[in-house]
Amino acid sequence: MKLKYFTSGIVKENPLLILMIGLCPALATTVSARDGFGMGIAASFVLIASNLVVSLIRRYVPNSIRIPIFIIIISTFVTIIDYVLQAYQPALYSVLGVFVPLIVVNCLILGRAEAFAYHHGVWDSFLDGAGKAVGFTLVLGLMGIIRELFAAGTVFGVAVTPAGYREQPMLFMVFAPGAFLLIGILKSIVNRLTAGKARS
Amino acid sequence: MSATTPQWVQGRFWMVASLVIVCLVAAFSLARVYNATRPVIEQQRIEATNRALAEVLPRATRFEEQVPDTLWYGFDGADEQVGSVIKVSPRGYAGPIEALAGIGQDGRITGIYITSLKETPGLGLKATEPRFRDRFLNRTPEELRLVQDGGSIDAISAATITSRAIADGIREGIESLRHRLPIGAGKSDPPDELDFSDPARPDQP
């Protein structure tokens, strides 16, 4: 059992802050803590499920048409999560809306199918998918918390700042420039923390 | 990996067959999930509509759809009509806004509810809050314009387009359905008028 496949996805190979893949949903859907975590969990389900299926059938997937096969598998799971969210989490679905179908083209999921699950066993692929999923969800949730805190003065809809701040908050954090600024700041913090390790 | 992969996997026949098999399995599983979730999704939609209807016309206990997804009549416990609900979808700042508006028999707004909008969080999205929606209470359709347009609805600061879309959308919706709204049909009962004689304006400073 190679537990490192799981743990590396959270810190050392964090999809967003180290590998820098799957950035589009990280910028678009993290306007609030709930939306960020919601998107993270939805994408996590698809990532783990597609990793499992791809590793199961990998010996029977012809090399030349592997990408179309991966995309069919991924879009099947995305459509499933789309129906399930509509049926059981309509409030979350109404917020995530168009971003759920877009999980199909999340490069993190196709990337793990191609780079990992196609070459590894089921158990390892599950650990890899789960680790990357946790790393992805945590960063999405963190961005959602920070942006909601600055732009609305709340976290998960609960007021945490004085009423005066909530009257005139830093609204721009909720717009696209705020998302770019935040991911830049987070990335620079991570670079600072990992700089020593990378050189040694 | 190639050591354990059979030779025929890379052949031309399997290239077609494998894609067909994957598509068939995907189609069958999607059909199963679709059939399982469809009734639940329908139920959610109906419940969401019913909740919104009850919100905008609180006095009604039963609703009758007059024009599908556009006009409802509301009745109270005694089966007396107490008002109507219309659905409008004006264009907002970032996309269409869907709103329900309840209209009492005296022609005044009994409540509005935003069922879907894609406005900017922190600005236009505030239109869903009671703080904004309550500004419509007890207004006549003619008053449903922003203050700067000569009406009596205070816009949300920094979200004039959203506020205007909702106010104008509801007013125009009432005007276009006026012939189907039983407003001022003469049968207004006195308790109603007492209720509405006190103009609540919670947002006036």
Side-chain angles (χ1 to χ4, degrees), chain A residues 38-53:
Chain A
M39 183 63 186
I41 291 164
S44 296
F45 163 78
V46 178
L47 173 60
I48 295 169
S50 85
N51 253 18
L52 275 177
V53 172

Side-chain angles (χ1 to χ4, degrees), chain A residues 31 57-65 68-69 72-73 76 79-80 83-84 86-88 90 118-119 171 174-175, chain B residues 1 4-6 8-10 14-15 18-19 22-23 26 29-30 33-34 36-37 40-41 44-45 120-123:
Chain A
V31 291
I57 63 167
R58 71 186 196 282
R59 291 186 215 284
Y60 305 99
V61 174
N63 206 32
S64 48
I65 57 160
I69 288 184
I72 293 167
I73 293 168
T76 304
T79 314
I80 290 174
Y83 288 151
V84 171
Q86 267 188 69
Y88 301 106
Y118 193 48
H119 307 286
L171 263 180
V174 94
F175 297 107
Chain B
M1 188 198 121
T4 50
T5 303
W8 51 265
V9 163
Q10 304 300 344
W14 184 246
M15 213 158 103
S18 62
L19 206 51
V22 168
C23 287
S29 25
L30 281 186
V33 175
Y34 179 75
T37 51
V40 188
I41 294 172
Q44 294 277 13
R45 290 223 175 105
T120 319
L123 294 176

Side-chain angles (χ1 to χ4, degrees), chain A residues 148-149 152-167:
Chain A
E148 189 184 336
L149 177 66
T154 59
V155 170
F156 285 108
V158 179
V160 291
T161 52
Y165 182 82
R166 275 178 282 129
E167 286 293 311

Side-chain angles (χ1 to χ4, degrees), chain B:
Chain B
M1 188 198 121
S2 52
T4 50
T5 303
Q7 196 61 48
W8 51 265
V9 163
Q10 304 300 344
R12 224 178 274 177
F13 170 75
W14 184 246
M15 213 158 103
V16 177
S18 62
L19 206 51
V20 170
I21 293 170
V22 168
C23 287
L24 282 178
V25 173
F28 275 117
S29 25
L30 281 186
R32 294 212 61 144
V33 175
Y34 179 75
N35 281 333
T37 51
R38 196 188 148 83
V40 188
I41 294 172
E42 275 305 308
Q43 193 57 36
Q44 294 277 13
R45 290 223 175 105
I46 293 166
E47 274 170 26
T49 307
N50 287 344
R51 267 199 307 272
L53 288 173
E55 176 98 5
V56 297
L57 195 58
R59 287 188 56 212
T61 51
R62 187 174 64 81
F63 291 94
E64 233 171 57
E65 202 169 27
Q66 295 294 312
V67 181
D69 214 31
T70 306
L71 174 67
W72 293 261
Y73 287 167
F75 300 89
D76 65 6
D79 239 21
E80 188 94 359
Q81 184 171 359
V82 292
S84 319
V85 178
I86 62 162
K87 186 183 206 172
V88 294
S89 34
R91 219 176 69 192
Y93 178 72
I97 299 172
E98 263 184 19
L100 293 178
I103 304 125
Q105 296 299 82
D106 58 351
R108 289 177 182 270
I109 301 294
T110 58
I112 72 162
Y113 188 84
I114 317 290
T115 46
S116 114
L117 86 169
K118 301 196 160 47
E119 306 296 275
T120 319
L123 294 176
L125 215 53
K126 282 189 182 155
T128 58
E129 293 172 6
R131 210 173 115 82
F132 176 70
R133 283 159 39 207
D134 286 350
R135 295 176 195 178
F136 287 76
L137 285 179
N138 291 336
R139 303 288 187 199
T140 61
E142 292 71 32
E143 290 177 301
L144 296 184
R145 289 176 204 270
L146 299 189
V147 170
Q148 55 261 56
D149 296 341
S152 46
I153 304 291
D154 278 321
I156 304 164
S157 46
T160 309
I161 295 175
T162 309
S163 314
R164 178 175 290 140
I166 296 171
D168 290 354
I170 292 174
R171 191 189 67 248
E172 285 161 13
I174 294 173
E175 277 162 12
S176 70
L177 282 167
R178 173 145 270 169
H179 60 287
R180 311 240 6 210
L181 296 175
I183 294 173
K187 252 180 86 182
S188 64
D189 40 9
D192 259 358
E193 311 229 303
L194 283 179
D195 280 348
F196 290 119
S197 63
D198 171 36
R201 296 189 183 186
D203 286 308
Q204 298 291 344

Side-chain angles (χ1 to χ4, degrees), chain A residues 56-182:
Chain A
L56 267 175
I57 63 167
R58 71 186 196 282
R59 291 186 215 284
Y60 305 99
V61 174
N63 206 32
S64 48
I65 57 160
R66 63 185 193 285
I67 302 289
I69 288 184
F70 296 164
I71 290 291
I72 293 167
I73 293 168
I74 293 167
S75 49
T76 304
F77 284 118
V78 170
T79 314
I80 290 174
I81 193 88
D82 189 271
Y83 288 151
V84 171
L85 281 182
Q86 267 188 69
Y88 301 106
Q89 291 289 325
L92 182 63
Y93 183 82
S94 70
V95 181
L96 292 181
V98 291
F99 296 109
V100 174
L102 286 176
I103 299 175
V104 175
V105 287
N106 187 328
C107 43
L108 169 63
I109 295 165
L110 182 64
R112 292 330 287 173
E114 165 79 1
F116 195 94
Y118 193 48
H119 307 286
H120 291 83
V122 176
W123 181 235
D124 288 352
S125 298
F126 169 76
L127 288 176
D128 177 75
K132 296 288 185 291
V134 170
F136 183 72
T137 307
L138 284 180
V139 176
L140 245 67
L142 178 69
M143 290 182 69
I145 289 173
I146 295 174
R147 288 177 72 187
E148 189 184 336
L149 177 66
F150 280 102
T154 59
V155 170
F156 285 108
V158 179
V160 291
T161 52
Y165 182 82
R166 275 178 282 129
E167 286 293 311
Q168 292 293 328
M170 266 174 71
L171 263 180
F172 103 103
M173 281 306 285
V174 94
F175 297 107
F180 280 110
L181 181 75
L182 178 61

